Every structure is written in structure tokens, then in C-alpha cells.
Amino acid sequence: MNEVQTTRRRFLAASLVFSSIAVAAETWLRGAAAWAGTRDPATLARFGRLLFPLDGLADAVYVQVMDRVLMSLVSMQPGDDVLMITEQSLNSQQAGNWFDLDAAAQIRAIENIQHEAHFAAVLSAVRDTFYNDPAVWAHMRYPGSSKEFGGYVQRGFDDINWLPEGRS
Amino acid sequence: MSRRYAHDDASVVVVIGSGAGGGTLANELAQKGIDVVCLEAGKRLTLADIENHPPTMFARMGWLDRRIGPMVWNGKTVGGTTMFWSGITPRIQEHEFRALSTYGQLDAGTTLIDWPLTLAELEPYYDKAEDKMGVSGTHGIPASAETNNYKVLKAGAARVGYQEITSTRTAINPVARNGRPGCQQIGFCNSGCAIGAKWSTLYTEVPAAELTGHFELRTECMATRINHNKTGKVTGVVYVDAAGATHEQKARAVCVAGNTVETTRLLLNSESAMFPAGLGNSSGNVGRHYTRHTFGIALAVMPGEVNFHRGTRQSGIVLDEQYHKPERGFAGGYIIETLSIAPFDVSNIVGGWGQHNAAFMNNYTKLAGVFITGEDPPEAGNRISLHASEKDQHGLPVPVIAYRDHANTTAMREHALKMSKAIYDSLGASHFHGGDIPVGAHNMGVARMSKNADDGVTNRWGQAHDVPNLFVSDGSLFSTSAAANPTLTIVALAIRQADHIAERMQHQTL
Ligand SMILES: Cc1cc2nc3c(=O)[nH]c(=O)nc-3n(C[C@H](O)[C@H](O)[C@H](O)COP(=O)(O)OP(=O)(O)OC[C@H]3O[C@@H](n4cnc5c(N)ncnc54)[C@H](O)[C@@H]3O)c2cc1C
Ligand code: SF4
């Protein structure tokens, strides 16, 4: 892991993730590159949408985000492949491949394994990339850094208009 | 202008750390004409280095050296954790200075004591601290501007019957003052304030001290040991500079303000034949009674847009629950404070995945949020110690942090989250999340002031009970945690300590 990635992991911990999960996420990063080769981006995007379903967010954004996670992993050394373990674990929940199930069945399978450490590691890493992505932010109507625009002092920091008048 | 002192100049006071405690103390001493060398482990940034992007800034100014145990969020930069802080600055209440007398010992595990000083004694210093820091609603400074998030809190709190709802008590300039601008509502102040509207010692105390001509700041200088002589007085501080070279700065007195974990580590690492358990640690209390406040976070999806990312995280508080009302089922009280966080943090705090998480994320612009801070009883088992074999990059033992919530803390959090839910429900919230945040941002107690030398590490002035010219000057001094965010009190205690040191120097007793 390079220095930026290392501090990024530490920031994850500081961002209120229990440090055990952050450590597990590092393990995942080492293994995910191997898994990447076995799945096309569209399938991964479907997985991303199940984890973090944002209303109306285009497939293209999920594809782009998941693709970017995986691209960034290519240079990493192989290690314990928690993503592979997660897939095996999902597949073992029912007859047939998890990727071929309908959405409701896929969700049920995830629910069955959601407390397992490898799944927590996968979830943590996807969350980190997904919710720090500017295209995802834009969809959520969070515009990112405001310093360049002089903050919100003239741009609606106090423009709330639906609160009941006065104190009732 | 900035001075340079020789390493063998034993007339200087060495201050370790340039954050809330150390930066303030150093400036106060320098203003009195006392020569100060401040050793700071981190780099000196300028406002141009501040980006409105939390992960970048955590990497740039956070304390990233290896630690074992639950997360403690500290700065390693000139200004210390005042670069990250939110600026909330309430005073500790009178009864909280008498924690043991007011609450009684909660059980066999708690180690409550009374502070060896009273609110009345600290009040003049609170006044000075508020003036220095520019606390809204004090000294003719207007209230903080009311952000959308605060307006939601204010309306909901009024509906549940709260009365002490105020947009004051924040050390962020509402309007320009003392050469610093008013807040521009840039948002996410916890990655540093790019315009310097939020008080930080980086651009207040440190440059003010430099102007006196009695102050030298040495950045990227990590203090590793405090030396003493045969009579048990400290004589100098050993440190490692940016190039890795080791030096000793001689000193007339030494003041340690590294923030709890590092303050503990430095004292314990300074063990010697005379102080085998660590400097200032004859009582065995260094590192013990570590408290970090009852913390909690509440987020709610409101019926309309809030856009809490617009503007300062902190624009107001509710004080009604800060009192000691044992009928609620716990000792001490808590404060409800506005909170706004970026998308990743919301997802992370709500936790989980799928529709549960998305209920909040699909409504990011409708979120309102609060942060809870409350009294946290000290326990002997909550402590910072040194690892027996693991070493950091300087060859120093890695700190081990042990902390768990007391049942009082858990009960208080439950109550606070129930009340937070009522606040948001009263305005028609559709989803609510309430939970803990397992991070030490308010760190206190590891070298606590005590009347009796057996109960703590320092006396009522923050001087070590067993070393006459060694002082502790940060949150480590707190005898108990109280409910208030700690920094105003850290600053008030530092100003008071500077008066005490100057007086003793004048009387040649230091
Ligand atoms: C996100 C966040 C929000 C917060 N919000 C609030 C708030 O709203 N209100 C409030 O009251 N408090 C708040 N706090 C807490 C506040 O930041 C701290 O209470 C305060 O900064 C502590 O001051 P200090 O002097 O003890 O330590 P710090 O400010 O941490 O300064 C310690 C300094 O010592 C240096 N140092 C440590 N060891 C050594 C060594 N061996 N040699 C040389 N230098 C060393 C460090 O690099 C650092 O610069 C917040 C904290 C965080 C993380
Ligand atoms: S909101 Fe105000 S105080 Fe906070 S960073 Fe922006 S300008 Fe500074």
C-alpha cells in the first residue's frame, strides 16, 4: 500500500469505522484485484446497487465507481481474498449462483452473511469509494468543497422555509 | 520577532505542544516577557494548505503514529487538534467542579474526585479565554448565525419543552474580529477553517507569541524525554528534530501539553532511578482516570430540505439537560449540539446497507443532526499505558489505550438519543438514527489535578505533585470530565497557569 492509501485507511478508522473493519478492508484490497478479473463491471455495478441503492442513480455511475475501485487495486499484492470468500459464502446460501438470482433472493442471501467479517470488509471498502465519489455526491445534491465559491454565507446556509412558525 | 535560544540556555520555559493548552500557555508566558521554547511534533501549515476535504486534511494534519486501542483523534500540526475542532465552548458548571460531593462515588469501579478549584476561581479566566477565542455571545460578540440545521434543532427543542436553546458559545467569529474574518459558512470545519474564522492557535496564539520576541517555535520536533537532576527538579527536554538528530533543550521549567495520550507517554517514558514508574508518577496515577465524554450522534430525515452541509457544523446548543437530575437514571448531564457531516460519514454512522442505509442517503439534503457530549465518570481501568515491546519510529514504546463506557454513560446516551428523537419527531421526521461514536475527540484526566497527592498527578495549578518545576497544561489536568466540551476550560486553565508560573518566577520559587 502506498502512503496515500495507508492514510486513507486510517481516515476510515477515524471516520468512526471500528478499526477492526478498517484493517479487514486493507486485507480485502489486497485480494480484490484477483476477483476483479472474474467479473464484468456491469455485474459488479449490480452488486453496488444492492448495497447502496440510490434512487435514480444511473447504472453508468455504479459501473464507473465499481470499475474505479477495482482499477485502483490492480497494482496491489495478492493476499486473502475476502471478496472471493464473500462470493462463495453468498453462493452457499442457496442452490445456484448468487449472481443469477432475482434481487429479492440476492438480498436475502446478503442478509444471511451480513455479520461475517469478510462481508463487513467488502461493505466498508465499497462504502468508502462510493460515498466519496463526486458523481455520487452530485446525484445526492451535495456539491463538495465550497471554499472556491465563498462558502454558503450568501448561498443558502439559512434558507430553510418549511419550519412551523414560532414556538408552538 | 521570533527568537532563537541556545540549547544550553537554562532560563527558558519549555512548552511541549502548540495546541489549545500549549499554544495558549506559551503565548501568555511570552506576553509577560518570559522566554519560551515550544516544541511541536507537527509541521506548520498556512491557511492556503487547508482544503475543504476531510480525508485530505486528516492525512495532512492528523496524528498517524501507531497506537493500540480505540481511536483517539488528535492533530499533529502547529495548532494541534484546534485545527480539527468544532469550536463549541460552554463553561463547566459549579456543581461539576464538585463531582464526587454532588454525585457520590457511583460504584466500586469509579474514581470520582472534586476539583481542587472552584468555578468562582476560574470565572475570571473563563472571561479572558472567551475574549481571546472570540466566543459568540460573550464580550459584545454577536450570536452565531443560525444555520438551517440549528433552526431545525431550535424549533424541535422548543416543541419538546426545552428553554435554554442558544446560538452562542462557539469560538467561530460571527463577524470579523481581531484581524480574523467572520465565518463564511464554508462547512465541515473539522477539516480546518480555510479563512481562519474558527479559533486555532496556529493563527492566533502562535503568531502573537512570536511578536513578543520572547518565543521560539521548533516544528517537527518530537519531545522524547524530560530529564531531571539529583534534587528531582527537571532540567531539560530531549527531542528529535525533522532530520532525526537528537538534542536537549535546557529549561527552567517544563510544561507538557501533548494531549492526553502523548502527555502520558512522555511522562512514563521519562522514568529514572528516582522516578521508576515515570516522571510525576509517584502516586501511580499517570495515564489513569482517562475520560472522553459520553458521546452520541443523532440523524433524522426531515419533511423538507435542510442542506446541513451548507455552513458551519456548529451554530447552537441546547443546555436544558446539562444539570444533575438523578431522577433521569444517571449522574451528571449532557449538552445537545448541532452536527453536520459529509455523505460517507452519514452512511458509515447509520451503518448497514441496502434500503436501511439508503433511507438516509436518498435524503441527504433533508438530514438534520446533533451531537451529544456529557459527563463521563472516571474509572481506574480506563487508562493509557505503554506497550511492553512494540516501538514507534522514534524507538519509543507505543501507547495502549483502554477505554469502555460506564453504565452511567450508556444510560445517559440512551436518554439523550430518546430526547433527540423526540425533538425531530415533533417536526415530522420520517427516519431517525441514534448511536454511539467510538472515537476519543475530547480527551481528559490522565494527569488530573487533585487536592490529595494520592488521588492525582498535579495540584490546583497543574504542577506535578512530586516535581516542583514540571507542569501539565492540557486536558490531562481535568479532575473529572464534566459535560462541557473541554477546550474553553483547557485555555482558561492555561491562562491561569501562566499567571502562577510568572508569579513564582517573580518570587524566585521556580
Ligand atoms: C473533530 C473534533 C472536534 C472537536 N470539537 C470540539 C469542540 O467543539 N469544542 C471543544 O471544546 N473541543 C473540541 N474538540 C477537542 C479539542 O480539539 C481538544 O480538546 C483540544 O485541542 C485539546 O488541546 P490540547 O492542548 O490538549 O491538545 P492538542 O490541541 O491536540 O495539541 C497537542 C499538540 O502537542 C503536539 N505534541 C504531542 N506530543 C508531542 C511531543 N512529544 N513533542 C512535541 N509535540 C507534541 C501535537 O502535535 C499537538 O500539536 C474536538 C476535537 C476533534 C477531534
Ligand atoms: S464554516 Fe465558518 S468556521 Fe467553519 S470552516 Fe467555514 S468559515 Fe471556517
Side-chain angles (χ1 to χ4, degrees):
Chain A
M1 277 203 149
N2 67 29
E3 202 186 343
V4 171
Q5 282 154 343
T6 306
T7 49
R8 186 92 195 94
R9 290 298 119 199
R10 292 206 178 119
F11 180 73
L12 264 182
S15 299
L16 324 173
V17 180
F18 292 95
S19 31
S20 59
I21 295 178
V23 170
E26 290 193 32
T27 316
W28 170 72
L29 288 172
R30 274 186 264 119
W35 195 70
T38 71
R39 291 290 164 203
D40 64 291
T43 312
L44 288 176
R46 218 149 58 89
F47 184 51
R49 191 186 287 282
L50 277 181
L51 296 183
F52 298 117
L54 285 188
D55 295 344
L57 181 63
D59 271 348
V61 179
Y62 281 103
V63 172
Q64 176 260 112
V65 168
M66 295 304 273
D67 201 34
R68 206 160 39 76
V69 189
L70 297 170
M71 287 301 286
S72 71
L73 304 176
V74 170
S75 60
M76 289 178 191
Q77 44 184 317
D80 301 333
D81 193 339
V82 293
L83 201 41
M84 199 87 90
I85 301 171
T86 300
E87 186 181 0
Q88 281 162 6
S89 194
L90 286 170
N91 285 339
S92 71
Q93 300 304 308
Q94 66 287 305
N97 193 315
W98 178 83
F99 280 95
D100 301 329
L101 303 175
D102 65 30
Q106 286 184 325
I107 289 171
R108 272 197 305 280
I110 296 179
E111 279 166 355
N112 287 338
I113 67 155
Q114 65 183 346
H115 298 299
E116 295 174 11
H118 51 84
F119 177 76
V122 170
L123 183 66
S124 165
V126 178
R127 192 194 311 276
D128 180 26
T129 306
F130 187 73
Y131 280 122
N132 281 307
D133 183 81
V136 175
W137 286 354
H139 178 78
M140 298 168 73
R141 291 186 294 120
Y142 166 60
S145 175
S146 83
K147 178 176 120 176
E148 303 75 359
F149 310 105
Y152 287 99
V153 69
Q154 309 290 352
R155 299 190 310 134
F157 81 99
D158 62 349
D159 66 354
I160 198 162
N161 59 8
W162 55 267
L163 281 172
E165 284 302 308
R167 296 181 172 192
S168 53
Chain B
M1 280 296 104
S2 192
R3 273 272 289 276
R4 290 187 67 80
Y5 296 94
H7 283 123
D8 61 0
D9 183 343
S11 72
V12 301
V13 174
V14 173
V15 174
I16 296 156
S18 66
T24 303
L25 177 71
N27 181 31
E28 289 288 320
L29 291 172
Q31 296 294 336
K32 297 172 193 295
I34 296 168
D35 292 315
V36 177
V37 171
C38 179
L39 301 175
E40 168 52 56
K43 293 187 175 138
R44 185 174 189 156
L45 302 182
T46 66
L47 290 184
D49 296 315
I50 309 294
E51 291 178 43
N52 195 206
H53 189 249
T56 303
M57 293 317 296
F58 185 76
R60 195 167 288 172
M61 50 186 205
W63 191 283
L64 305 173
D65 295 7
R66 187 146 176 252
R67 289 171 168 174
I68 296 168
M71 169 76 195
V72 176
W73 186 344
N74 290 158
K76 185 192 220 176
T77 187
V78 175
T81 318
T82 65
M83 293 300 286
F84 288 106
W85 81 316
S86 308
I88 312 168
T89 35
R91 293 184 178 191
I92 294 181
Q93 305 163 85
E94 198 270 336
H95 72 268
E96 292 171 321
F97 284 96
R98 297 180 289 104
L100 178 60
S101 306
T102 311
Y103 314 142
Q105 208 56 268
L106 302 189
D107 57 42
T110 59
T111 54
L112 289 155
I113 55 172
D114 290 344
W115 288 54
L117 69 155
T118 60
L119 173 61
E121 279 173 86
L122 204 55
E123 260 164 357
Y125 295 99
Y126 271 141
D127 278 338
K128 288 183 183 176
E130 286 161 351
D131 188 24
K132 177 193 278 296
M133 301 166 87
V135 174
S136 61
T138 72
H139 298 85
I141 302 166
S144 308
E146 299 188 3
T147 61
N148 291 337
N149 193 32
Y150 173 71
K151 289 180 179 181
V152 174
L153 173 63
K154 182 176 162 182
R159 287 202 164 190
V160 305
Y162 286 144
Q163 289 172 350
E164 296 180 65
I165 310 163
T166 171
S167 64
T168 62
R169 307 259 145 221
T170 301
I172 296 177
N173 278 349
V175 291
R177 183 173 187 265
N178 291 351
R180 291 189 292 120
C183 173
Q184 284 183 8
Q185 309 293 348
I186 293 171
F188 302 132
C189 318
N190 297 139
S191 50
C193 179
I195 60 169
K198 177 183 83 171
W199 183 81
S200 166
T201 50
L202 171 67
Y203 37 78
T204 57
E205 304 300 302
V206 168
E210 283 172 336
L211 283 177
T212 64
H214 293 283
F215 174 81
E216 180 184 349
L217 176 68
R218 293 189 196 148
T219 59
E220 296 182 78
C221 289
M222 172 81 182
T224 55
R225 183 181 181 84
I226 302 171
N227 286 333
H228 65 82
N229 63 17
K230 281 197 220 106
T231 67
K233 286 176 87 173
V234 298
T235 53
V237 180
V238 180
Y239 68 94
V240 182
D241 70 15
T246 300
H247 307 276
E248 183 185 7
Q249 175 61 52
K250 293 290 180 195
R252 176 174 184 170
V254 173
C255 306
V256 187
N259 202 327
T260 40
V261 178
E262 296 310 315
T263 291
T264 299
R265 201 150 78 110
L266 183 58
L267 293 176
L268 295 182
N269 277 330
S270 302
E271 54 33 80
S272 65
M274 191 180 240
F275 298 106
L279 195 60
N281 197 24
S282 312
S283 67
N285 282 304
V286 170
R288 292 194 186 266
H289 320 291
Y290 169 54
T291 61
R292 38 156 73 179
H293 276 149
T294 299
F295 271 5
I297 277 192
L299 293 165
V301 178
M302 304 310 295
E305 299 279 295
V306 181
N307 286 308
F308 73 2
H309 63 275
R310 296 184 187 165
T312 174
R313 162 175 162 174
Q314 181 45 41
S315 78
I317 56 182
V318 177
L319 293 168
D320 293 71
E321 298 286 1
Q322 70 174 334
Y323 307 103
H324 177 54
K325 294 187 251 175
E327 62 276 15
R328 289 175 303 188
F330 51 86
Y334 61 86
I335 305 176
I336 305 170
E337 311 178 333
T338 56
L339 167 94
S340 48
I341 46 178
F344 168 77
D345 296 306
V346 174
S347 175
N348 202 22
I349 283 168
V350 170
W353 54 280
Q355 290 305 333
H356 167 73
N357 197 266
F360 292 82
M361 306 313 288
N362 272 317
N363 292 297
Y364 182 73
T365 57
K366 292 184 177 175
L367 291 177
V370 288
F371 175 76
I372 306 299
T373 174
E375 179 96 61
D376 173 26
E379 295 182 83
N382 285 349
R383 62 180 294 207
I384 292 153
S385 56
L386 301 180
H387 196 274
S389 54
E390 299 282 330
K391 300 275 181 352
D392 71 2
Q393 70 271 33
H394 302 292
L396 301 172
V398 166
V400 181
I401 296 142
Y403 179 83
R404 52 150 210 199
D405 283 340
H406 189 268
N408 195 75
T409 303
T410 320
M412 181 184 286
R413 180 180 302 119
E414 243 169 67
H415 188 272
L417 295 176
K418 190 184 77 192
M419 295 314 295
S420 306
K421 185 169 189 310
I423 287 173
Y424 292 128
D425 283 352
S426 79
L427 297 168
S430 61
H431 294 81
F432 177 84
H433 171 85
D436 183 15
I437 1 167
V439 167
H442 300 171
N443 299 290
M444 296 159 285
V446 296
R448 69 183 187 178
M449 295 186 286
S450 63
K451 187 166 173 220
N452 184 333
D454 291 339
D455 293 336
V457 175
T458 50
N459 68 14
R460 58 199 306 278
W461 303 106
Q463 178 215 307
H465 282 302
D466 50 11
V467 185
N469 60 344
L470 173 67
F471 294 83
V472 173
S473 318
D474 61 13
S476 311
L477 290 174
F478 284 37
S479 307
T480 52
S481 82
N485 311 57
T487 309
L488 177 74
T489 304
I490 294 175
V491 171
L493 288 171
I495 302 172
R496 177 173 170 271
Q497 189 178 69
D499 280 0
H500 174 75
I501 290 174
E503 199 180 300
R504 280 190 39 198
M505 282 186 167
Q506 216 164 29
H507 294 108
Q508 311 272 312
T509 58
L510 190 69

